[in-house]
Structures are given as structure tokens and as C-alpha cells.
Amino acid sequence: MIFSPIMFLTANQKGLERSSLGESVLVALFTIAVVFAVLCLICILVNVFSKIMTNITNKDTAAKPAPAPVKTEAVTAEPAKEEEFSSGSLKLKGCNEKTAAMIMAIVSDNTGIPLSELIFKSITLVEEKK
């Protein structure tokens, strides 16, 4: 005989015993169901912990007070359509607003730092002595 009959073995208190095809299929289905249930439980736990962590981080950021906006002395000709950005006050001593804007743009360009990240406290005109 080329094909031998398939033997299904089950473990019990006495040791290994032959079991029928139906019993073996039931054991396999039960095992698959248990694995599937554990995977679903892990998925649910990950979602719950994710929501908990999101709520915790949102509460931490909401608890910090927002800094009060500070207005600068420089006034633009047209109001900005985008959200206005201010990083402090700027004192101009001996120069006009156009000159101060040009100086700030040159400093930003030369340093490679965006203008929104620079903070200017004052700009003073220094006259050359001859």
C-alpha cells in the first residue's frame, strides 16, 4: 500500500491516543478561535491605551497657559491676512520702520535663520564719526 492511513493523535492523561478526524478538526478550530480571541483582545487593549495616552497628553498641553500676545511698535501699511505673529517688542532708536525691516531681513538672510525665529529687542542707528 502506497498511502498509509492518516493518524490523528490526541494527548490525554493516559498518553497519546488515536482520535477521529472530526475530533482533530474540532481541536484545531478551538485553537484557532483562542488565538483569534487573544489577537482581538490585544487590538482592543492597544486602542484603549492609545486613547488614554492621547487624553493625557492633551490635558498636559491644555493645562499650560498660552503666552499673552505682545505687540510691536512697528505698524505695517496693510494688515496681514494670515495670523499675526509677534515675538516681543522692538524699540527703534534713530531709524525708521522701513530701515528696521530691511536690517531684520538682511540679518535673517545672512544667518539663514527664518525671520519668525529671530527676536529683535532694539535697533539703534549708529552714526559714523569722521
Side-chain angles (χ1 to χ4, degrees):
M1 205 176 196
I2 298 173
F3 300 112
S4 62
I6 300 173
M7 294 192 331
F8 301 99
L9 302 174
T10 55
N12 60 18
Q13 292 176 353
K14 298 176 188 174
L16 294 177
E17 276 187 5
R18 283 189 187 184
S19 61
S20 66
L21 177 62
E23 288 176 347
S24 297
V25 169
L26 286 176
V27 169
L29 289 176
F30 177 76
T31 305
I32 291 171
V34 168
V35 170
F36 185 73
V38 169
L39 288 175
C40 287
L41 181 63
I42 290 172
C43 179
I44 291 169
L45 289 175
V46 167
N47 285 333
V48 168
F49 286 137
S50 173
K51 288 181 182 178
I52 290 171
M53 294 306 291
T54 303
N55 287 338
I56 289 173
T57 56
N58 285 345
K59 287 180 183 176
D60 287 345
T61 56
K64 295 179 183 176
V70 179
K71 296 182 180 179
T72 60
E73 292 179 13
V75 177
T76 57
E78 297 178 13
K81 292 183 181 179
E82 296 180 12
E83 184 178 313
E84 290 188 27
F85 179 80
S86 175
S87 61
S89 62
L90 174 65
K91 295 180 183 178
L92 300 178
K93 298 176 185 174
C95 67
N96 59 14
E97 293 172 2
K98 288 184 179 182
T99 306
M102 185 63 78
I103 292 170
M104 293 189 312
I106 291 170
V107 169
S108 174
D109 186 54
N110 287 341
T111 60
I113 301 172
L115 189 57
S116 62
E117 293 179 11
L118 291 173
I119 299 174
F120 293 90
K121 301 217 180 213
S122 68
I123 297 177
T124 305
L125 177 65
V126 178
E127 296 182 17
E128 286 186 39
K129 294 182 179 179
K130 294 184 181 182

